Amino acid sequence: MENLKQFLFALSAAGAVGFVSIIFVLRWVLYFKEGLDWNGGLAEFNWHPVLVVTGFIFLQGTAIIVYRLPWTWQCSKLMMKFIHAGLNLTAFIFAVIAMVAVFDFHNAAKIPNMYSLHSWLGLMAVILYGLQLVLGVGLYLIPVTPVAWRAAFMPIHVYSGLFLFTSIIAVALMGITEKLIFGLANPKYKDSPPEAIFVNVLGLLLVVFGALILWIATRASWKRPSDQIAHSLHTNRGSEDNSKGGPAMSELEDGANCETDGDVRKRNSK
Ligand code: HEM
Ligand code: HEM
């Protein structure tokens, strides 16, 4: 891999920042707020930010960069697809439980549903994420889908995946701000109590995590080798959209086994 050191640095930074974000959200709800419970009260609401940060943001970020990990390149593309799809499915389940927690809390406390911009954008993001998941399985896991279709949809899949990930972080920042404004009464948010500073830092950490994942996922030189070769073949031929080449060619390498390093070298040199 080109610039392996840079890759490892970006990956460790993303892992560390993601991990610290999870610690921050847990400390927020357990130390500053009412803890976690499932009783229709504020402790049930607290599952909302916890599940969003751990599942919808951290697990999704991991799912996005999983193809880029060089030590997985000797594994078949099919196995990596299962890991990518499985992590995205787990992130989706976390997001759905996070939605149930906040709706349940609102209904028990007789707070109106879906009045804020945060809730509109949030629900839209969850629905579109579900659609992305269904289309992803339909196109890339079901073996009958023609390779040409897989290739044609890949730029859309990658664009909408990155767009959703970015939007979800933006929605989380809106939610954090709302909660600080509603939840801090004496002293108020504008008086910068320790909770406000702490949770502002959580927001910053989420932005840095997002920036690192997007950086890793958009470096062409850090793609799986077969995809890079297909990419350069297309560039050499000239006329077609480059992004079609990678996935189309990589779809042909679906095999349920993990290969040895030698196999990978032979395949790549071909
Ligand atoms: C409410 C989605 C992240 C705080 C809601 C509601 C939805 C939603 C759909 C409306 C529930 C209802 O009307 O009954 C999302 C999504 C998130 C996310 C998809 C992922 C990015 C967060 C985070 C916080 C948060 C990290 C931080 C605490 C709130 C608050 C409410 C709420 C305070 C109640 C006020 C309102 O309806 O706007 N969220 N949320 N959200 N969320 Fe989030
Ligand atoms: C690639 C997002 C679900 C199959 C990608 C990429 C993103 C992404 C951002 C680009 C990664 C890179 O360039 O390294 C998502 C999101 C999903 C989702 C947010 C769920 C909501 C799925 C599912 C499948 C799938 C269910 C089914 C197997 C693929 C494939 C690639 C890919 C085959 C191409 C990897 C490559 O060759 O570079 N996805 N994806 N995705 N995804 Fe998904």
Side-chain angles (χ1 to χ4, degrees), residues 28 45 48-49 52-53 56-57 99 102-103 106 112-116 118-123 125-126 167-169 171-173 175-176 178-179 182:
W28 183 22
F45 169 83
H48 183 65
V52 161
V53 171
F56 215 20
I57 296 180
M99 296 301 107
V102 70
F103 275 98
H106 271 196
N113 288 317
M114 299 304 297
Y115 64 87
S116 64
H118 164 76
S119 60
W120 290 11
L121 290 174
L123 195 64
V126 176
S167 312
I168 287 162
I169 291 185
V171 171
L173 299 179
I176 287 174
E178 268 192 8
K179 183 67 182 171
F182 298 158

Side-chain angles (χ1 to χ4, degrees), residues 38-154:
W38 201 271
N39 55 6
L42 282 162
E44 180 170 335
F45 169 83
N46 290 343
W47 281 110
H48 183 65
V50 167
L51 293 173
V52 161
V53 171
T54 49
F56 215 20
I57 296 180
F58 185 73
L59 283 184
Q60 184 188 173
T62 312
I64 285 177
I65 54 156
V66 86
Y67 293 109
R68 305 267 170 159
L69 306 174
W71 48 92
T72 65
W73 289 348
Q74 81 258 34
C75 291
S76 72
K77 189 65 178 275
L78 186 62
M79 187 201 262
M80 294 319 295
K81 284 186 194 177
F82 273 114
I83 295 173
H84 175 76
L87 283 168
N88 275 310
L89 177 66
T90 315
F92 181 66
I93 293 170
F94 275 52
V96 170
I97 304 173
M99 296 301 107
V100 175
V102 70
F103 275 98
D104 205 39
F105 163 68
H106 271 196
N107 293 339
K110 307 229 174 342
I111 300 171
N113 288 317
M114 299 304 297
Y115 64 87
S116 64
L117 179 60
H118 164 76
S119 60
W120 290 11
L121 290 174
L123 195 64
M124 259 166 64
V126 176
I127 294 169
L128 291 175
Y129 191 82
L131 188 69
Q132 168 96 344
L133 203 56
V134 171
L135 285 175
V137 171
L139 283 161
Y140 302 112
L141 272 186
I142 296 177
V144 292
T145 313
V147 171
W149 287 24
R150 295 177 174 202
F153 275 98
M154 184 46 75

Side-chain angles (χ1 to χ4, degrees), residues 207-270:
V207 171
V208 174
F209 178 72
L212 288 165
I213 296 292
L214 290 179
W215 178 259
I216 297 172
T218 51
R219 295 311 88 207
S221 59
W222 291 348
K223 270 182 152 283
R224 269 173 80 100
S226 53
D227 302 335
Q228 283 173 25
I229 288 170
H231 177 93
S232 58
L233 283 176
H234 264 269
T235 318
N236 293 344
R237 246 190 281 144
S239 62
E240 280 176 77
D241 177 359
N242 289 338
S243 53
K244 284 182 186 170
M249 179 130 163
S250 62
E251 292 313 326
L252 301 176
E253 54 155 330
D254 272 3
N257 56 324
C258 259
E259 296 160 282
T260 63
D261 283 354
D263 292 339
V264 175
R265 266 194 298 279
K266 261 187 257 157
R267 176 162 55 79
N268 289 340
S269 66
K270 267 187 224 157

